[in-house]
Amino acid sequence: MRGHVLDVDEKSYWGPYYSYFPALARYIPLGEYARRVRPRACVLGASDGKFALPLLRAGWEVVGVETDALFLNGGEFDLVDGHHEVVGLRQRLASEGLTEGCTIVEQDYMTLPAAGDFQLVMGSGLWSMPPNRAHTLEALIRHAMDMVAPGGIFFGEYLIGLNDEERRCGYYPPREEMDRIVDRPGWQLFENADLGIRGESHLGYEEWHYHRYAAAIVHRMPLPTTPEPAP
């Protein structure tokens, strides 16, 4: 993050993998304004800090929701592309003096209250993960949106199905389906973009495979103001 440019943390294990996250710089406060106002973000699936660390550096307070001990505490593993060492989120926060600004929550975000008190709620690629399939995609997305304060932003990076199995499962929606899910009273869709196909291999899916990425950015409109009664 340089000035008002936002980017993923390249030192994260997930840093090399594509994300539309930098586009958020068009919509959220950064730099001196953020450092003065201290807006609050909730990063769903915080992992080892790919998104949380850039937001913290930009002046935000962050609640990172994550249950994977490997990415919270660090560890090592071997994949077909070699040996990997993960520096966990806790150590990465401590090394940059950012621990105080980040609250780590180790639980399923669907069990968290949707109190509408975050200026940004975001998740990237997590809705299709097996633990989340206890809920419908619509329930997952709408609960995350309900965590956003009036005037805030929901950023959801998701995957569009490339094959029949993915299309049938309900967690790789076409753009039109995401349009329907986020079309709610009091919300304004800023973007819902098909971002193209990328090939990748990573922890959890070592075989070379393809994903079609997409991202929705939705604004929760401020509550109407009540006019002051005339004296």
Side-chain angles (χ1 to χ4, degrees), residues 6 9-10 14 29 47 54 65-66 70 80 88 103 114 142 156 172-173 179 228:
L6 190 68
D9 185 276
E10 295 179 354
W14 302 105
S47 191
V65 182
E66 182 56 69
L70 170 65
V80 68
T103 301
R142 292 197 167 185
Y172 297 75
D179 280 341
E228 292 284 338

Side-chain angles (χ1 to χ4, degrees), residues 6 38 83 105 118 139 149 169 176 218:
L6 190 68
R38 302 294 293 171
H83 184 74
V105 177
F118 292 100
C169 82
E176 295 77 14
V218 198

